[in-house]
Amino acid sequence: MKVAADLGYRPNLHARTLSTGRTRIIGVVLAHLDNLFYPRFLQLLTERLQAEGMQLLLFVADGRQGNLLEQLLQYRVDGIVLAATTLHSELAKACAQAGIPVVLFNRVADTQDSGFHSVQTNQAEGARQLTRFLLDNDHRRIAYLAGSQDASTNQAREQGCRQALAEGRRRLFAYGEGDYRADRAQGVVRGWYVGDDGARRPVSDCPDAIVVADDQMALAVMDTLRHELGLQVPEQVSVVGFDDVPQAAWAAYQLTTYTQPLPEMIESVLQLLTAQLKAQSADAKRKPRGKAVVLTGQLQIRQSARQRSTTRPRR
Amino acid sequence: MKVAADLGYRPNLHARTLSTGRTRIIGVVLAHLDNLFYPRFLQLLTERLQAEGMQLLLFVADGRQGNLLEQLLQYRVDGIVLAATTLHSELAKACAQAGIPVVLFNRVADTQDSGFHSVQTNQAEGARQLTRFLLDNDHRRIAYLAGSQDASTNQAREQGCRQALAEGRRRLFAYGEGDYRADRAQGVVRGWYVGDDGARRPVSDCPDAIVVADDQMALAVMDTLRHELGLQVPEQVSVVGFDDVPQAAWAAYQLTTYTQPLPEMIESVLQLLTAQLKAQSADAKRKPRGKAVVLTGQLQIRQSARQRSTTRPRR
DNA sequence: CTGAAAGCGCTTACAG
DNA sequence: CTGAAAGCGCTTACAG
């Protein structure tokens, strides 16, 4: 042993892989690393995997999925984490078919009980709480600015928003699609507040609150409202987001949002992954139903949404 | 071939690795993915590596470097990109000793001609241009807010700042260390503008411009100046940063900064990496000198630094 | 030009 | 309990 250490011997993990069939490599597929929510996700996931002695092979989905799948399979990854919100489910299916454990992050399978494991926050409940907060604080013309229509995150958030409105016997005042992109979101907002003639619309024709499908867009929307349209946030328009990205807490924004419990989510991802790895070696044939973990986030009240009164009535 | 495809055959890359000695895996080590500059770096690098048919194995340096090095070596990565600014150079040396090509990103070896390849922006020149811009626009009390003292990026930027001041026959008005962390930077700024008694210092005792070692800290500094200390940026205090992270362009900040040419930098990283891989297979013994690629960035003038006058004198 | 064999560096079942 | 052999799935030099 001493000699081996002195000679600088390191076991070759690829050789080990050949005989054990385990690579200890997890493939992680991201769609947009430019979304402010994912850097921290990636950092935490990497740290946790490292701590477990596993490695993270990073892929960015850029449309050419075929190639990506090929790589994933050829490297015999032990498991795959799919965090690409808008990613077509073809990829997930192909991986599962190849017998590789898949965990969907912040995304749920669009086909019913497809057998995929998934981890997400209770999106609908979060959006419901945000919307109810706005209703409770006297907002009456509430708009929803959607992410991508086909993203499960957006669908749940939209549904939660609509549900809260229905409970409050209110209708949605305006609806637009931002596709989870800052520039598109800003375009939608301009359309809401500025008429075709380039003049500002009357206040009563404009939303007094905007439920934005994620923080990324919400921050961009705040910029446009304040610096381009000259509106006060939250005095004239309230904005709420979803995720609680680091930037949401910055003094310039102080965004009211719904916090996704990222560390817990990561733990769940790891649990699902390792559970599958064990089950796989135990009895490879028994295919368990996909387990959908839904975690509870938290309403994070900051300053971007107007509150009825700072001095609360004494009980 | 048809049959193979029908059966879903995929070559096992680990087996190939065993016989060829090439893994087509590049190890990437990051210190802080929470720095706003790195997500895009990682995204672009991943895309480029994927395009070349290589894979990216991601590591986050969390102090326990020994373990990290072990993993890197055991997975027989073909090359390593070290983007961890404050990372101790032990790691780089150990990798080089093990015969793995290393490219330093945004960082230069602290030991002279250590044989490492590196890619960076001309940091000193950038800081010089930023500082000169401030001088040319009538700023007289210029402070430098440093990153980590031992980071080569910071050393070069500080030197560039001091050089421009010397050229303008000015002295540095104040100096503080933010360690590339937003909260530390904010603490330094508070100390500059607020006395021990908690009262604001007289204007003439405070900087009228701050050269911040990176955008991450510069944005936090702007927040503190505006929202905590009630100062106008740029009217009362100018702030400039370095990197040109996506957030620097946000309407709330409009940060004047020095743009690092990220796509070009990535290209250089890939070139250095592939060149070494070829050289390695050609004659493994000839150890070439480290090549230090220094690219030119660009002064990005926005609104966070006061300009003398919007109407320029006609020539 | 085609095809069988050796070898890459491990693990593990098996023989002694 | 120890030690030699077979096998994981490729590549490549070599024999036919």
Side-chain angles (χ1 to χ4, degrees):
Chain A
M1 291 306 287
K2 304 291 173 203
V3 168
D6 289 349
L7 289 166
Y9 167 78
R10 328 267 168 191
N12 183 323
L13 261 29
H14 298 100
R16 177 175 298 172
T17 278
L18 262 197
S19 51
T20 61
R22 296 263 74 92
T23 57
R24 299 193 75 74
I25 296 179
I26 302 295
V28 173
V29 184
L30 291 181
H32 8 234
L33 200 48
D34 51 337
N35 186 306
L36 305 169
F37 183 62
Y38 289 104
R40 206 163 86 89
F41 160 73
L42 195 55
Q43 168 150 21
L44 291 175
L45 183 57
T46 307
E47 286 173 352
R48 284 295 287 120
L49 286 174
Q50 266 176 238
E52 303 283 332
M54 313 189 87
Q55 302 308 318
L56 187 156
L57 206 58
L58 181 64
F59 295 85
V60 172
D62 56 347
R64 296 169 301 127
Q65 290 178 30
N67 188 28
L68 200 162
L69 174 65
E70 208 56 37
Q71 305 282 4
L72 242 12
L73 294 177
Q74 293 188 5
Y75 275 98
R76 301 293 196 269
V77 294
D78 278 352
I80 296 177
V81 179
L82 273 182
T85 330
T86 54
L87 199 65
H88 207 281
S89 51
E90 294 299 323
L91 181 56
K93 275 176 205 150
C95 293
Q97 212 157 357
I100 306 178
V102 175
V103 176
L104 269 27
F105 178 83
N106 210 0
R107 182 184 189 294
V108 83
D110 47 1
T111 49
Q112 54 277 36
D113 59 32
S114 52
F116 295 124
H117 297 262
S118 62
V119 175
Q120 60 175 340
T121 302
N122 192 335
Q123 323 262 7
E125 173 59 19
R128 213 180 117 265
Q129 287 186 28
L130 285 162
T131 308
R132 186 205 285 264
F133 175 80
L134 292 174
L135 287 171
D136 286 350
N137 284 283
D138 302 335
H139 295 83
R140 290 295 169 256
R141 302 186 304 280
I142 297 179
Y144 182 74
L145 208 170
S148 308
Q149 303 264 21
D150 55 351
S152 65
T153 48
N154 178 68
Q155 289 160 7
R157 292 171 195 178
E158 180 171 334
Q159 184 220 316
C161 174
R162 288 184 187 275
Q163 190 193 335
L165 287 168
E167 286 166 8
R169 313 219 169 284
R170 290 271 158 189
R171 287 181 47 222
L172 193 60
F173 183 79
Y175 179 91
E177 185 180 351
D179 198 30
Y180 283 133
R181 285 171 46 194
D183 54 344
R184 299 252 347 239
Q186 291 173 317
V188 169
V189 167
R190 280 182 208 111
W192 281 343
Y193 292 87
V194 178
D196 293 336
D197 55 354
R200 275 265 294 282
R201 296 185 194 277
V203 170
S204 59
D205 288 359
C206 301
D208 64 356
I210 308 177
V211 177
V212 189
D214 80 348
D215 284 358
Q216 168 105 336
M217 292 194 296
L219 297 173
V221 163
M222 285 180 74
D223 271 351
T224 292
L225 290 171
R226 285 173 169 168
H227 301 284
E228 200 177 317
L229 304 174
L231 287 159
Q232 308 269 44
V233 178
E235 292 80 358
Q236 296 174 278
V237 187
S238 289
V239 176
V240 297
F242 204 107
D243 286 345
D244 198 10
V245 299
Q247 289 76 7
W250 286 3
Y253 298 100
Q254 285 291 310
L255 182 67
T256 290
T257 186
Y258 192 78
T259 308
Q260 296 215 50
L262 201 39
E264 289 172 50
M265 295 174 84
I266 303 279
E267 286 311 314
S268 291
V269 168
L270 254 92
Q271 274 175 28
L272 289 177
L273 231 33
T274 50
Q276 282 180 92
L277 295 185
K278 274 177 203 151
Q280 209 176 30
S281 41
D283 45 348
K285 290 300 103 182
R286 187 168 58 85
K287 175 131 187 176
R289 293 282 296 269
K291 189 172 168 188
V293 174
V294 178
L295 297 169
T296 303
Q298 193 172 356
L299 184 63
Q300 177 66 256
I301 299 174
R302 294 201 184 92
Q303 307 299 328
S304 70
R306 177 165 42 85
Q307 285 185 260
R308 199 199 311 241
S309 163
T310 38
T311 58
R312 268 181 229 145
R314 218 170 298 157
R315 266 169 284 178
Chain B
M1 292 307 289
K2 306 290 174 204
V3 167
D6 289 349
L7 288 166
Y9 167 79
R10 326 267 169 191
N12 182 323
L13 259 29
H14 299 100
R16 176 175 299 173
T17 277
L18 262 198
S19 51
T20 61
R22 296 262 74 94
T23 57
R24 299 193 75 75
I25 296 179
I26 301 296
V28 174
V29 184
L30 290 181
H32 7 235
L33 200 48
D34 50 336
N35 186 304
L36 305 169
F37 183 61
Y38 289 103
R40 206 163 84 90
F41 160 73
L42 196 55
Q43 168 150 21
L44 291 175
L45 183 58
T46 307
E47 287 173 352
R48 283 296 284 120
L49 286 175
Q50 265 175 236
E52 302 284 331
M54 313 189 89
Q55 302 307 318
L56 186 155
L57 205 58
L58 181 64
F59 295 85
V60 172
D62 55 348
R64 297 169 302 127
Q65 290 177 29
N67 189 27
L68 200 162
L69 173 66
E70 210 55 38
Q71 305 281 5
L72 241 13
L73 294 177
Q74 292 187 6
Y75 275 99
R76 302 291 195 270
V77 294
D78 277 351
I80 296 177
V81 179
L82 274 181
T85 329
T86 55
L87 199 65
H88 207 281
S89 52
E90 294 298 323
L91 182 56
K93 276 175 204 151
C95 292
Q97 212 157 357
I100 306 177
V102 175
V103 176
L104 270 27
F105 179 83
N106 210 2
R107 182 186 189 292
V108 85
D110 48 1
T111 49
Q112 53 278 39
D113 58 32
S114 54
F116 295 125
H117 297 260
S118 63
V119 175
Q120 60 175 338
T121 302
N122 192 336
Q123 322 263 6
E125 173 60 20
R128 215 180 115 264
Q129 287 186 26
L130 286 162
T131 308
R132 187 205 287 262
F133 175 80
L134 293 174
L135 287 172
D136 286 350
N137 285 283
D138 303 335
H139 296 82
R140 291 296 169 255
R141 301 186 304 281
I142 297 178
Y144 181 75
L145 210 171
S148 308
Q149 304 263 21
D150 55 351
S152 65
T153 48
N154 179 68
Q155 288 161 7
R157 291 171 196 179
E158 181 172 332
Q159 185 220 316
C161 174
R162 288 184 186 275
Q163 190 193 334
L165 286 168
E167 286 167 7
R169 313 218 167 283
R170 290 271 160 190
R171 287 180 48 221
L172 193 60
F173 183 80
Y175 179 90
E177 185 179 350
D179 200 30
Y180 285 133
R181 285 171 44 196
D183 53 344
R184 299 256 343 244
Q186 290 173 318
V188 169
V189 167
R190 280 181 208 112
W192 282 342
Y193 291 87
V194 178
D196 294 335
D197 55 355
R200 274 264 294 284
R201 296 182 194 276
V203 171
S204 57
D205 289 359
C206 301
D208 64 355
I210 308 177
V211 177
V212 188
D214 80 348
D215 284 358
Q216 168 105 338
M217 293 194 295
L219 298 172
V221 163
M222 285 180 73
D223 272 352
T224 291
L225 289 170
R226 285 174 171 167
H227 301 285
E228 201 177 316
L229 303 175
L231 289 159
Q232 309 269 44
V233 178
E235 291 81 359
Q236 296 174 277
V237 187
S238 289
V239 175
V240 297
F242 204 106
D243 286 344
D244 199 9
V245 301
Q247 289 76 8
W250 287 3
Y253 297 101
Q254 285 291 308
L255 182 66
T256 290
T257 186
Y258 191 79
T259 309
Q260 296 215 50
L262 202 39
E264 289 173 50
M265 294 175 84
I266 303 280
E267 287 310 315
S268 291
V269 168
L270 255 92
Q271 275 175 27
L272 289 178
L273 231 33
T274 49
Q276 282 179 93
L277 294 185
K278 274 178 204 151
Q280 210 176 31
S281 41
D283 45 347
K285 289 299 105 183
R286 190 167 58 85
K287 177 132 184 176
R289 293 283 296 269
K291 189 172 168 186
V293 174
V294 178
L295 297 169
T296 303
Q298 193 171 357
L299 183 64
Q300 178 65 255
I301 298 174
R302 295 200 183 93
Q303 306 300 329
S304 70
R306 178 166 41 88
Q307 285 185 260
R308 201 200 310 243
S309 164
T310 35
T311 59
R312 266 181 231 147
R314 218 169 300 155
R315 265 170 284 177

